[in-house]
Amino acid sequence: MDTKEKILQTAEELFMRYGTRSVTMDDIAKELGMSKKTIYQFFKDKDAIVQLIMSRVFEEERQQLYKIEAESADPIEAVLKIAEVTGERIRNINPIVLYDLQKYHSQVWDEYNSFCEQDARASVVRNLKRGIEQGLYRSNLDPEVMATLHLVCMDAIFDQNITDSISHKKYDLGDLSTMVIEHFLRGIVTLEGFQLLEQYQQRKTHTTQP
């Protein structure tokens, strides 16, 4: 791994753990065991590091959505796979990261909103249409409306007021994201879809048992 990639990898780990605002260039240099001068040879400032890291993150998530869609046997399996990877990803991110992006990195925040609206939302719409066509989701659903409602619910888990109100339950954000996705899925399936969902859930239970 070259020096630039080491800087990006270390900075990403620090940003996701502590947020972008509280991590300084000094912190990154100290973690890497190198001088700030070396970092500035590759990046003009911290914002440039944040922009490149987040652009990569959005692209990785975009490609992952396409990969899951292409490799899943049906829309329900796709949703369950997305729930799994989303939950794991969120567990490794401090919620303050999104707040910092919104307040201190406007260009990155715009890119995040664009990803949510164009890529994540489009993926949900495609899944809903496919599920309706296969008789796994209810035929009276409006994919566009349901996709919007679902993403609003997903955004809500990062709302401090909401998470504080259920923090005594000791759920992490990854657990909450899985709950939201599974609740959404159970609300849209037909009887056939419900039976298939139960099969997937039972299979997962059996494979995770010691």
Side-chain angles (χ1 to χ4, degrees):
M1 184 183 301
D2 61 27
T3 301
K4 183 177 181 179
E5 288 302 318
K6 288 181 180 178
I7 294 171
L8 289 170
Q9 181 178 344
T10 299
E12 181 175 354
E13 291 172 356
L14 292 173
F15 292 153
M16 295 305 178
R17 192 181 311 157
Y18 304 110
T20 61
R21 185 189 182 194
S22 62
V23 176
T24 66
M25 295 292 266
D26 283 316
D27 294 328
I28 298 172
K30 182 178 179 180
E31 188 72 16
L32 284 162
M34 65 175 59
S35 68
K36 281 197 301 182
K37 183 178 180 181
T38 301
I39 297 177
Y40 282 120
Q41 291 177 357
F42 297 94
F43 304 98
K44 66 177 182 179
D45 53 28
K46 186 174 75 173
D47 189 61
I49 298 177
V50 173
Q51 287 186 23
L52 182 53
I53 288 172
M54 296 312 300
S55 291
R56 288 185 172 188
V57 168
F58 299 147
E59 181 58 27
E60 287 172 2
E61 293 190 2
R62 186 177 295 114
Q63 294 305 319
Q64 192 168 51
L65 287 175
Y66 286 123
K67 186 174 186 291
I68 289 174
E69 287 182 39
E71 296 180 353
S72 297
D74 53 73
I76 291 177
E77 183 183 35
V79 172
L80 294 175
K81 286 182 177 179
I82 289 172
E84 184 176 354
V85 298
T86 300
E88 187 61 31
R89 185 184 306 120
I90 291 176
R91 286 186 185 93
N92 296 320
I93 298 176
N94 187 328
I96 201 173
V97 172
L98 289 182
Y99 173 81
D100 286 350
L101 294 180
Q102 182 177 15
K103 190 168 184 179
Y104 304 108
H105 308 279
S106 58
Q107 183 176 334
V108 178
W109 183 249
D110 288 343
E111 188 175 352
Y112 169 74
N113 284 324
S114 177
F115 168 78
C116 291
E117 177 60 28
Q118 296 181 19
D119 296 287
R121 187 176 183 280
S123 177
V124 177
V125 170
R126 288 193 300 270
N127 183 278
L128 286 165
K129 289 181 176 179
R130 185 181 170 200
I132 292 171
E133 290 172 357
Q134 295 182 12
L136 299 174
Y137 300 158
R138 301 200 319 269
S139 60
N140 62 341
L141 297 175
D142 184 323
E144 299 289 342
V145 172
M146 294 304 298
T148 298
L149 292 175
H150 175 57
L151 292 178
V152 167
C153 291
M154 289 298 292
D155 283 342
I157 67 174
F158 292 100
D159 186 313
Q160 193 68 45
N161 293 325
I162 294 176
T163 53
D164 284 348
S165 69
I166 54 180
S167 60
H168 64 285
K169 298 293 186 180
K170 298 181 181 179
Y171 295 121
D172 62 31
L173 292 184
D175 293 331
L176 294 179
S177 72
T178 300
M179 290 180 188
V180 168
I181 294 174
E182 291 186 353
H183 174 75
F184 170 75
L185 186 55
R186 287 182 176 273
I188 64 175
V189 291
T190 60
L191 177 58
E192 181 183 351
F194 176 76
Q195 292 171 341
L196 182 59
L197 173 59
E198 287 292 291
Q199 291 176 21
Y200 282 125
Q201 297 285 32
Q202 291 173 11
R203 189 182 306 167
K204 179 179 178 181
T205 300
H206 291 153
T207 57
T208 55
Q209 286 180 343

